[in-house]
Amino acid sequence: MKIGVYGGTFNPIHYGHLRSAEEVFEMLSLDKVLFITSGKTPFDKPDLEKAEHRYEMVKKAVNGNRHFEASDIEIKRRGRSYTVETIGSLGDKYRESELFFILGIDAFLDLPNWNQPDKLINLANIVIISRPGYMYAGLSLSPYLKNVSEKILRELDKGIKSNFSSDISKTRKAFLCKVTGLNISASHIRHLIASGKNIKYLLPDSVKSYIISNKLFVRR
Ligand code: ATP
């Protein structure tokens, strides 16, 4: 099986996450995509809602899509959670499968600051998806993409190419996948809610209703 692993704080999950996951699922012929709600991380911001609420919203968002699955693997783990451990556990659980860790250009740029990035790129293939406001050209200095030329990165940005793959480690590949640019971020959604504005069409209605009934993201 080919399993996509889409990690995030999902504070809250929105259509930028869901649509990009669906497009990667199709582009790479995956069998399913797991959405992993982050547990405690060293980078948590003060406006992060409780993991239980964020996970509930992910469950509601993926409901109805047979190849999407919400996972609580990180929030069940005690203490801080690191992606490298999560991917390691998933590798043990799905021994016969190939893992594809999906993240946006913004998150990939931060990879050198993560715990054991060199180990991570030997445990899973890495899928770098496009995101409005970020250019593939910005990855030209990435220590992890030495085999990808500036020309290829520019062609992806211009839309001349829609995907490209290259080795990222001895055993795994990097997939650069252009997805429909939806300029949606969880921080903007939180800002709209805190300013009393509406968030319709930025995320599924079921998630919107959950936010309203639990009074999430309202400034207290
Ligand atoms: P925040 O605004 O709070 O930082 P976010 O919208 O970036 O949140 P996260 O849960 O932090 O959402 O992101 C999880 C992953 O989803 C990251 O790899 C990020 O790059 C990717 N992602 C988020 N929004 C989009 C989007 N609109 N298009 C493509 N990828 C996205």
Side-chain angles (χ1 to χ4, degrees):
M1 270 218 295
K2 291 167 76 176
I3 303 180
V5 180
Y6 202 126
T9 48
F10 302 130
N11 188 41
I13 189 164
H14 52 69
Y15 282 135
H17 301 124
L18 294 163
R19 179 65 202 172
S20 55
E22 183 67 17
E23 291 189 18
V24 168
F25 170 82
E26 209 169 28
M27 225 184 275
L28 301 182
S29 305
L30 303 181
D31 293 288
K32 66 172 165 180
V33 179
L34 296 176
F35 287 79
I36 317 267
T37 306
S38 67
K40 264 197 185 341
T41 77
F43 316 106
D44 285 352
K45 296 186 191 136
D47 60 353
L48 188 69
E49 282 292 350
K50 277 197 235 131
E52 289 69 22
H53 280 314
R54 292 182 285 117
Y55 175 58
E56 272 312 308
M57 291 188 279
V58 172
K59 280 207 291 192
K60 291 196 179 301
V62 302
N63 190 20
N65 185 329
R66 291 210 333 242
H67 49 257
F68 281 1
E69 200 177 304
S71 164
D72 59 358
I73 179 173
E74 279 201 1
I75 63 176
K76 276 201 316 216
R77 194 180 302 132
R78 286 181 182 210
R80 288 182 167 184
S81 60
Y82 293 106
T83 302
V84 67
E85 288 173 7
T86 306
I87 297 288
S89 313
L90 291 173
D92 292 340
K93 181 171 174 192
Y94 299 103
R95 276 196 182 282
E96 308 300 317
S97 297
E98 209 183 339
L99 300 179
F100 293 76
F101 182 62
I102 304 166
L103 77 181
I105 295 177
D106 55 319
F108 181 78
L109 278 169
D110 197 38
L111 191 68
N113 303 319
W114 293 17
N115 191 26
Q116 304 184 73
D118 295 302
K119 183 170 173 193
L120 178 63
I121 59 171
N122 274 290
L123 293 177
N125 299 301
I126 306 291
V127 183
I128 310 163
I129 51 173
S130 54
R131 181 173 187 179
Y134 298 88
M135 308 280 278
Y136 280 114
L139 303 181
S140 62
L141 297 176
S142 168
Y144 303 108
L145 291 181
K146 292 211 179 84
N147 300 330
V148 186
S149 68
E150 283 190 36
K151 180 168 176 277
I152 299 280
L153 295 171
R154 272 199 311 272
E155 286 179 355
L156 284 162
D157 284 329
K158 285 187 186 151
I160 298 169
K161 272 193 180 5
S162 60
N163 58 71
F164 186 77
S165 70
S166 156
D167 291 343
I168 194 166
S169 66
K170 282 203 182 98
T171 54
R172 309 291 149 153
K173 280 184 171 303
F175 294 86
L176 285 67
C177 298
K178 278 275 272 209
V179 293
T180 302
L182 294 179
N183 195 3
I184 304 174
S185 69
S187 40
H188 183 55
I189 292 174
R190 296 196 297 277
H191 173 75
L192 290 174
I193 298 169
S195 336
K197 303 238 171 70
N198 97 73
I199 53 169
K200 203 167 169 59
Y201 306 129
L202 295 173
L203 34 62
D205 272 344
S206 54
V207 177
K208 181 168 87 58
S209 305
Y210 185 88
I211 291 174
I212 293 169
S213 37
N214 289 280
K215 300 189 175 62
L216 305 185
F217 310 115
V218 192
R219 262 190 210 121
R220 292 169 197 128

